[in-house]
Amino acid sequence: MENSSSKSVRTTCPYCGVGCGVLATREESGAIGIKGDPHHPANFGRLCSKGSALGETVDLEGRLLEPQIDGRPASWDAALELVAGRFSETIREHGPDSVAFYVSGQLLSEDYYVANKLMKGFIGSANIDTNSRLCMSSSVAGHRRAFGSDTVPGTYEDLELADLIVLTGSNLAWCHPVLYQRIAAAKAKRPHMRVVLIDPRRTMTADIADMHLKIKPDGDTALFVGLLGFLAAQGAVDQGYVNRYTSGFDAALAIAKSHDLRSIAARTGLGPDELRDFFMLFAHTERVVTVYSQGVNQSVSGTDKVNAIINCHLATGRIGRPGMGPFSVTGQPNAMGGREVGGLANMLAAHMQLEDDDHRELVQDFWTSPTIASNPGLKAVDLFTAVREGKVKALWIMATNPVDSMPEADLVVEALKICPFVVVSDINTLTDTTRYAHVLLPAAAWGEKDGTVTNSERRISRQRPFLAMAGKAKPDWWIISEVARRMGFTAGFAYQNPSQIFAEHAALSGYRNRGGRDFDISAHAAITDESYDALSPFQWPQSGNEPSTDRRFFGEGDFYTDDRRARFVAVRPADAEATDPRYPFILNSGRIRDHWHTMTRTGKSARLSGHFAEPFVEIHPLDAAGYGIGDASLVRLKNINGTIIVRALLTDRQARGNVFVPMHWTGQFAGKARVDTLVTANVDPVSGQPALKMAQVAISPFQARWYGFAVTREKPASAEDYWALARTKGGFRLELASHEEPKDWSALAQQLFGIGSDVALLAYHDLRQGQHRIAAFEGEKLIGVLYVAREPVTVSRSWASEQLVQQFANAHQRFQLLAGRPGRDMPDKGAIVCACFSVGKNEIAAAVRGGCHTVEGIGEALKAGTNCGSCRAEIRGVIDANIVEAAE
C-alpha cells in the first residue's frame, strides 16, 4: 500500500490479541491520524481507547536510535560482531544450552520465525521462550492435551451468534474492549442472549452480565468439574458426539460425579442456588461460548482449568459449530503468531511438536540446518533461574521487560546483574530491563515495522509501515539474521525482506502436511513481494488445495491426536493453597482500561494517563477500615519477596480478603510499584505458566509526614519515599509523599520544575498547617506548580493538570491557581471517565442534572462512550449516583 501523506495505510493495532485493523494517515502537519478499519473483520471500524490514541505514542522521545555497547554509542557492525562473537564463544566453551533468547508477543511472526530458526535449528538448543509464557501457555497446554494441537476452534462471529456467553477469568470490557462491544451490540439486538461473568471481582464487564458468580480465586476447575457432573445428571451429554469423536469420558465423569453440589459450593465459595442456576442455564442452552483469559491461565492449575472447560464443551458436542465452543482470548498482538512459529521452548515451528522424532526430522530437513533441538528448552521462570545460577551465560532479550513482568521480579534483576553477557533489542533507551544490558540494539517500532501478526481467532493480518525507521533502528528479523550470518549460518538467513520469511514460514506449514497438522498456510508459500504488500486479513488454515474461507474446527471431530479423537482430561479440583497468617490477603494483578503492559507506549499519552495516573490497590471498604486505611491514602503491600507502595481505592467491587493492583507501573513511572516483585514464582506443572494472580500479602497504611502533587512542564526527577509520574497536557503530573520534610520547599519546587534560583516563585506557606503552594511562570505560561499538605492533597488533579496549557495573564488567575480552586474561567471537569474524548466525571454529573439520564443521552451531549465504549459502565455509575443524590 502506498505510504504517502495523502493515503491511509492499512495496518494492525499493536496492543491486545483482538487484532484490530487500523487506518493510519500521516497528515501534512506531521501528526498521525488513527481510525479503525471498517473493512477489517476483527473490529469493523471499532477501536478501544488505546488504539484510538496510537498517534500520540509514535514520537521519538526516549527512542533508542543507535546501538550501544556498555552504554556508549556504537556502529551496527561493532555491535553485531560483538553479539555474534560472544554467543559463538559461549557455545564453544559451555555448549548450546548455555545461551538463551527471551522474546515477546510484540514481535511480528517474521521476527519470531527467524529467532526460533536460529536457536533451535542452528544453535541447537530450545532455550527460546517468550513473555507469552506468562499469559497463554496454559491454553496451549490445554489445547494440546485435548485436541492434540494448539487449535482455537471458533471465530469472533461465534460471540455474536451464541445464546449464552460465559466469561471466566476475563475482564473483557477493559482488556479486550472491542470484543466486549461486539458482544454488547449483539446482546442489544438479541435481548434473549445471556451473559454470565465468573470473577472474584465485580469488574466493568459485569455491566452486561445477567449473572455474576463471585468465585473464590482458583475455583474455576471445581466449577467446571461440577458442571460436567451436572450435565451428565441432566441428560445434557451428547452421547453420539462423545462416542464418535472422543475418548476418556468415563474417567473424567467419574471424578465429576464424586463431587456433589455442596462440595463444589465449598470449593468455589458460591451458593448452591447460584451454582444450580448457572448449571441449568448452561445445560439447557445449545449455543454456548465459554470465553476465558488470564484469570484462568495465570494459575498453578491453569492447564487443568482449561481442560475442565473444554471437557464440558466436548461432552455436549458444543464445539466447532456456529455460536459454540471454548474460546481463549490472547493478551498480546502476536502471541498466536509466536505459537505458530514455535516461539515457546517446548514447541517446534508450524505447530509441530518438539518431542516428536518425525517432526524434528521434518523441520531440520526443511531448514537444511546443521542440527535440531532434541529436548524442550527452559521455560521463562526456569530460564531466569538458570541465568541467576550461572547456567545460562549469554541472554538476548527482545521486545519485552522481564524486570517488571516476571514473578519474583527482583530476582530477575539479580540474574541480569550476574549474567556475563546480556543483549536487549528494544525501541526505548531506558526501561527497567535495558539498564542491565551490555549491548542495546535499536529495533523498529510500530509504524515502522513490516510483517504479520495473528489474532485470537487465527486471523493473520499485516502490520505495514507508514513512518521511516527512526535513527539507525532496524527490523528485528534483520538484526537476528545479521547475527546468524556472523555466527557462520549465512545460507539459512539470507533474507532480503519480510515477504521471503513469510513465504518460507508458509511453505514449512504445508511441508509433508497431508492433513495431519492444523496449522497450514501453504497457499501463500509462493507469495510475491507485491502480493505480500497487498495481503488482506485471512484466517488459517489456507492450504494450497483449499478455497480462502473462514473455518471452525472439530464440529465433526477430526482432531489431531493419533486416533483423531479428542481427549477428555480427568482433572481434579485444586486443593486450596496453604495460607500464611502473616499475609492474609490474596493479591490479584492485571490490566486496566487505558494502559498496556509496562507503559513504554501508553505512558506517552496524556489522555491515556487521565483515567488512572498512579498505581493503586483496590480494597474492600470493610477490609480497609480494619487496617485504618482511608480512601486515596497510601498503602504498603508486603510479603517475603518485597514491598510496594500504592494509592488506596476503596470499592465494594473487590471481594473481602482480596486486593487488586495493576501490572503496569515500573521504575520509570513510580518509585515502588512493581507489583510482580511480590509474586512468588509458582508455576503450573504442565505449562510452566506462573500464578501471577495468587500472591499472598499483608497490607498496612503508609504514614507519610507530607504529601505533594505537582504539574511541571519538564519531566521531573524525584527521590521521595513515594512518587508516581504521568503524562499530562503540556508536561507531567507528579504525586509525592515522604517521611522527611525537605529543608527548603522552594528548592524542592525548583528541582521539580527544572529551573534555577533566578526564576521568580509565587509561593504560599502555612507552617502551622504544613501547607505549601509554589508556582513558577515564564511570561503568561505556567512552568510548574507544587501543592503540599500533611494529608493527601485534595486539589482536583484533572483541573490542575490542564493548567500547563492555559494562559495566566493577571495576578488573579495566578493566585487562583495557587489556591487550587477552579473558577468560572477555569472549570473542573473532574476525574477522567472517557479517555477517547477526555470527558470528566463532573461534566457527566452536570449533564445528568441537566436531564440526561441515559448512557445514550450522555453520548449525544458529550460524546462520552461513543467511540470504544469501554467507559459506558462507568458513565452508567455516574448517572445512577447522581440520580440517587438528586432523589435524596
Side-chain angles (χ1 to χ4, degrees):
M1 181 167 287
E2 188 175 328
N3 293 351
S4 73
S5 60
S6 60
K7 297 283 187 179
S8 292
V9 175
R10 280 198 160 88
T11 185
T12 309
C13 180
Y15 289 120
C16 75
V18 176
C20 294
V22 171
L23 298 178
T25 306
R26 189 166 186 177
E27 311 289 354
E28 291 184 5
S29 65
I32 304 300
I34 297 292
K35 292 181 179 179
D37 183 348
H39 301 294
H40 196 289
N43 59 314
F44 297 106
R46 296 180 178 94
L47 286 179
C48 72
S49 58
K50 294 183 291 290
S52 299
L54 275 166
E56 301 165 24
T57 68
V58 293
D59 61 34
L60 297 184
E61 183 178 354
R63 280 294 298 270
L64 178 62
L65 298 175
E66 59 185 336
Q68 292 183 12
I69 298 174
D70 293 328
R72 294 185 295 275
S75 67
W76 268 112
D77 276 342
L80 294 169
E81 289 289 348
L82 178 60
V83 173
R86 287 295 297 271
F87 268 76
S88 297
E89 178 185 353
T90 303
I91 293 164
R92 281 194 304 271
E93 293 183 4
H94 304 284
D97 287 337
S98 66
V99 301
F101 296 166
Y102 186 63
V103 297
S104 165
Q106 302 292 302
L107 294 176
L108 304 185
S109 294
E110 291 77 3
D111 308 322
Y112 246 135
Y113 179 89
V114 175
N116 185 59
K117 180 180 179 180
L118 172 58
M119 180 55 76
K120 289 180 181 152
F122 288 79
I123 291 175
S125 171
N127 280 352
I128 174 171
D129 212 43
T130 165
N131 61 6
S132 299
R133 177 73 59 189
L134 311 182
C135 70
M136 38 47 61
S137 56
S138 289
S139 283
V140 174
H143 288 161
R144 292 178 70 182
R145 289 206 300 188
F147 307 147
S149 59
D150 177 23
T151 310
V152 175
T155 71
Y156 291 162
E157 184 185 37
D158 293 325
L159 303 177
E160 296 162 327
L161 298 177
D163 294 321
L164 171 63
I165 293 180
V166 180
L167 299 170
T168 182
S170 170
N171 184 7
L172 209 68
W174 278 15
C175 300
H176 300 90
V178 168
L179 292 186
Y180 174 83
Q181 288 306 318
R182 287 184 66 165
I183 293 171
K187 197 172 191 299
K189 290 179 181 177
R190 299 191 299 117
H192 68 274
M193 177 193 278
R194 293 291 177 263
V195 176
V196 176
L197 176 67
I198 303 168
D199 198 309
R201 302 164 62 216
R202 182 173 176 79
T203 65
M204 291 302 169
T205 303
D207 190 54
I208 61 166
D210 301 284
M211 181 187 301
H212 176 204
L213 302 179
K214 295 182 180 180
I215 197 168
K216 281 183 181 178
D218 269 358
D220 310 77
T221 305
L223 179 67
F224 285 92
V225 166
L227 174 59
L228 181 64
F230 187 88
L231 293 171
Q234 288 287 310
V237 172
D238 184 337
Q239 204 63 54
Y241 187 93
V242 169
N243 292 341
R244 286 192 301 273
Y245 303 132
T246 74
S247 65
F249 176 66
D250 290 343
L253 184 58
I255 292 175
K257 284 183 173 179
S258 70
H259 295 279
D260 60 16
L261 208 60
R262 184 181 302 174
S263 167
I264 298 301
R267 289 175 177 271
T268 60
L270 301 172
D273 288 344
E274 56 186 341
L275 282 172
R276 191 177 292 105
D277 289 345
F278 168 55
F279 289 172
M280 287 291 288
L281 185 60
F282 194 107
H284 296 287
T285 307
E286 178 74 1
R287 292 193 172 201
V288 182
V289 175
T290 304
V291 178
Y292 63 93
S293 192
Q294 312 314 348
V296 166
N297 296 330
Q298 291 177 337
S299 165
V300 292
S301 57
T303 306
D304 281 354
K305 291 182 184 183
V306 171
N307 285 116
I309 292 167
I310 291 173
N311 283 351
C312 295
H313 282 272
L314 291 175
T316 54
R318 297 171 188 168
I319 185 170
R321 291 185 286 152
M324 304 182 210
F327 205 127
S328 163
V329 288
T330 52
Q332 294 193 83
N334 203 31
M336 289 283 282
R339 289 147 72 169
E340 293 158 9
V341 304
L344 291 164
N346 56 319
M347 297 176 69
L348 278 177
H351 277 194
M352 284 182 269
Q353 298 180 11
L354 189 63
E355 64 273 18
D356 187 304
D357 292 342
D358 292 337
H359 285 182
R360 291 199 308 275
E361 185 274 331
L362 185 156
V363 174
Q364 184 176 5
D365 180 66
F366 180 86
W367 281 342
T368 62
S369 61
T371 184
I372 195 74
S374 57
N375 296 302
L378 295 168
K379 298 171 184 175
V381 169
D382 294 334
L383 191 158
F384 283 97
T385 299
V387 174
R388 198 171 71 253
E389 293 175 347
K391 297 174 183 176
V392 169
K393 300 176 185 299
L395 174 64
W396 189 349
I397 298 168
M398 305 178 199
T400 187
N401 204 354
V403 166
D404 298 312
S405 57
M406 287 289 295
E408 297 181 7
D410 283 344
L411 293 184
V412 174
V413 172
E414 287 186 21
L416 296 183
K417 287 179 177 178
I418 292 169
C419 189
F421 191 60
V422 177
V423 181
V424 177
S425 301
D426 209 300
I427 69 170
N428 290 308
T429 302
L430 185 59
T431 71
D432 288 356
T433 298
T434 58
R435 66 178 61 197
Y436 302 106
H438 299 98
V439 178
L440 282 177
L441 301 175
W446 182 82
E448 303 162 7
K449 288 185 175 187
D450 191 5
T452 58
V453 293
T454 307
N455 74 0
S456 294
E457 64 164 352
R458 294 177 277 110
R459 193 173 302 280
I460 296 175
S461 300
R462 289 277 278 113
Q463 271 195 20
R464 295 183 174 91
F466 52 89
L467 296 170
M469 285 187 219
K472 297 179 181 178
K474 295 289 187 181
D476 290 283
W477 67 262
W478 181 92
I479 300 170
I480 300 160
S481 297
E482 287 297 314
V483 169
R485 293 165 74 167
R486 285 166 168 80
M487 293 178 72
F489 307 130
T490 303
F493 297 88
Y495 306 113
Q496 299 300 308
N497 56 50
S499 69
Q500 294 175 349
I501 304 169
F502 182 79
E504 181 179 313
H505 171 44
L508 174 56
S509 74
Y511 189 58
R512 301 184 197 168
N513 188 359
R514 299 176 180 87
R517 304 194 303 270
D518 64 335
F519 180 72
D520 189 340
I521 57 169
S522 57
H524 302 280
I527 196 167
T528 63
D529 293 350
E530 292 76 17
S531 296
Y532 182 75
D533 287 343
L535 186 66
S536 295
F538 71 92
Q539 192 178 64
W540 63 259
Q542 276 198 8
S543 72
N545 303 319
E546 293 181 350
S548 176
T549 58
D550 290 355
R551 175 182 161 184
R552 297 175 177 87
F553 281 87
F554 311 138
E556 296 182 2
D558 201 21
F559 294 90
Y560 291 94
T561 55
D562 290 340
D563 60 5
R564 309 298 280 190
R565 288 174 171 267
R567 302 284 189 263
F568 280 90
V569 179
V571 296
R572 297 182 182 277
D575 293 327
E577 189 174 339
T579 58
D580 186 331
R582 296 174 299 169
Y583 309 114
F585 286 86
I586 297 298
L587 168 63
N588 180 11
S589 65
R591 295 183 190 156
I592 57 174
R593 190 188 74 191
D594 296 340
H595 276 309
W596 170 256
H597 282 200
T598 58
M599 296 199 294
T600 51
R601 181 180 287 117
T602 55
K604 290 179 172 236
S605 169
R607 63 169 157 145
L608 293 181
S609 297
H611 190 226
F612 287 109
E614 63 179 320
F616 63 90
V617 55
E618 284 188 0
I619 311 174
H620 192 281
L622 295 177
D623 285 336
Y627 285 85
I629 295 169
D631 200 20
S633 63
L634 292 175
V635 181
R636 179 188 284 109
L637 285 80
K638 182 180 181 180
N639 63 15
I640 58 173
N641 299 316
T643 301
I644 65 172
I645 303 170
V646 293
R647 188 75 65 182
L649 194 166
L650 308 191
T651 173
D652 59 7
R653 288 178 171 270
Q654 180 64 60
R656 293 204 65 184
N658 293 258
V659 293
F660 172 86
V661 176
M663 62 180 283
H664 308 293
W665 272 268
T666 71
Q668 309 303 308
F669 294 95
K672 210 170 184 64
R674 292 166 48 240
V675 67
D676 283 326
T677 61
L678 301 178
V679 178
T680 302
N682 297 325
V683 301
D684 180 287
V686 181
S687 68
Q689 181 159 354
L692 296 176
K693 295 181 176 291
M694 281 293 291
Q696 297 179 29
V697 298
I699 64 172
S700 60
F702 176 81
Q703 299 291 358
R705 189 168 180 179
W706 64 271
Y707 300 82
F709 174 71
V711 294
T712 71
R713 205 161 60 187
E714 301 298 323
K715 187 174 183 178
S718 178
E720 269 62 46
D721 296 315
Y722 174 82
W723 62 268
L725 180 71
R727 282 276 190 180
T728 192
K729 288 183 180 179
F732 300 85
R733 54 184 286 184
L734 180 68
E735 300 284 347
L736 298 161
S738 184
H739 287 121
E740 296 184 9
E741 291 191 4
K743 294 179 180 179
D744 185 337
W745 290 105
S746 294
L748 174 63
Q750 289 164 345
Q751 173 201 324
L752 295 176
F753 301 164
I755 59 176
S757 58
D758 57 320
V759 178
L761 298 176
L762 182 64
Y764 167 83
H765 300 283
D766 184 338
L767 298 179
R768 184 175 179 180
Q769 296 295 323
Q771 293 189 2
H772 307 272
R773 298 174 184 184
I774 306 168
F777 300 86
E778 183 178 45
E780 296 183 355
K781 302 295 289 184
L782 176 66
I783 296 174
V785 60
L786 170 65
Y787 302 92
V788 173
R790 288 179 182 158
E791 299 294 331
V793 175
T794 56
V795 66
S796 168
R797 270 52 172 177
S798 58
W799 169 80
S801 297
E802 297 273 347
Q803 301 313 304
L804 288 170
V805 295
Q806 305 301 323
Q807 298 287 328
F808 292 87
N810 56 59
H812 171 73
Q813 291 174 318
R814 297 184 182 203
F815 281 112
Q816 198 173 44
L817 171 71
L818 210 62
R821 290 194 294 268
R824 290 184 178 179
D825 55 339
M826 295 180 179
D828 176 15
K829 63 174 60 178
I832 296 299
V833 174
C834 174
C836 295
F837 296 107
S838 295
V839 180
K841 183 177 180 179
N842 293 349
E843 294 174 295
I844 297 170
V848 175
R849 291 192 295 271
C852 291
H853 292 171
T854 65
V855 174
E856 291 71 24
I858 295 295
E860 291 178 9
L862 302 173
K863 292 190 175 180
T866 61
N867 183 42
C868 76
S870 304
C871 61
R872 290 172 66 88
E874 290 168 273
I875 293 172
R876 185 171 287 109
V878 177
I879 293 170
D880 292 345
N882 280 273
I883 289 176
V884 169
E885 184 178 305
E888 293 174 347

